[in-house]
């Protein structure tokens, strides 16, 4: 409940009635190389299955029923306030929306580098 209040107090709706998804994850993964070459942004959404924070960056795996995508959030790029809200209020099981550009990690993992995110449904116990 504390995390739900954090989201509300930031001005973000924890249960919005819309989604701005542009691609299902399976379609995004199939076209990842084209997205990488063009720099065109995409908006994905899904349920967080894994959430790994590493200092000023976070990796989260999201699943939408068609596939799984790795998302990458960098504090310097999304801003301190938005990053802190992500770290303090988001859990595995939450549904989020991520807008960003194609990115490949040092280990070769296809990812999406977030420029923004928002909560679609906060998972409550």
């Amino acid at each position: 409940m504390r995390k739900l209040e954090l989201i509300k107090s930031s001005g973000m709706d924890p249960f919005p009635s819309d989604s701005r998804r542009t691609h299902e994850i399976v379609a995004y993964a199939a076209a990842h190389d084209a997205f990488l070459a063009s720099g065109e942004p995409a908006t994905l959404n899904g349920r967080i299955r894994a959430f790994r924070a590493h200092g000023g960056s976070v990796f989260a795996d999201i699943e939408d029923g068609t596939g799984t995508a790795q998302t990458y959030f960098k504090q310097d790029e999304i801003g301190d306030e938005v990053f802190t809200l992500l770290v303090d209020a988001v859990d595995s099981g939450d549904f989020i929306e991520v807008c960003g550009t194609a990115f490949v990690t040092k280990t070769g993992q296809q990812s999406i580098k977030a420029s923004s995110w928002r909560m679609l449904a906060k998972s409550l116990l």
Side-chain angles (χ1 to χ4, degrees), residues 4-107:
L4 178 63
E5 289 307 316
L6 273 174
I7 293 166
K8 287 179 180 179
S9 68
S10 76
M12 185 183 292
D13 183 355
F15 302 101
S17 60
D18 68 326
S19 169
R20 300 177 192 120
R21 178 173 69 174
T22 60
H23 298 83
E24 291 181 334
I25 290 174
V26 69
Y28 177 77
H32 192 267
D33 289 340
F35 279 106
L36 195 58
S38 72
E40 178 186 345
T43 302
L44 308 178
N45 61 31
R47 184 174 215 160
I48 298 175
R49 294 298 186 184
F51 192 84
R52 303 170 303 281
H54 303 281
S57 62
V58 169
F59 288 93
D61 297 335
I62 61 171
E63 182 181 297
D64 72 353
T66 68
T68 302
Q70 178 173 267
T71 59
Y72 173 66
F73 303 88
K74 188 169 182 186
Q75 185 172 5
D76 296 345
E77 295 187 18
I78 65 172
D80 292 337
E81 188 175 315
V82 174
F83 186 82
T84 300
L85 180 63
L86 175 78
V87 171
D88 291 346
V90 174
D91 297 302
S92 291
D94 292 346
F95 286 86
I96 64 169
E97 179 176 87
V98 178
C99 182
T101 54
F103 171 71
V104 177
T105 66
K106 291 177 186 176
T107 62

Side-chain angles (χ1 to χ4, degrees), residues 107-121:
T107 62
Q109 175 72 36
Q110 288 183 349
S111 304
I112 183 168
K113 184 189 289 185
S115 56
S116 66
W117 73 275
R118 71 181 182 130
M119 185 67 66
L120 294 179

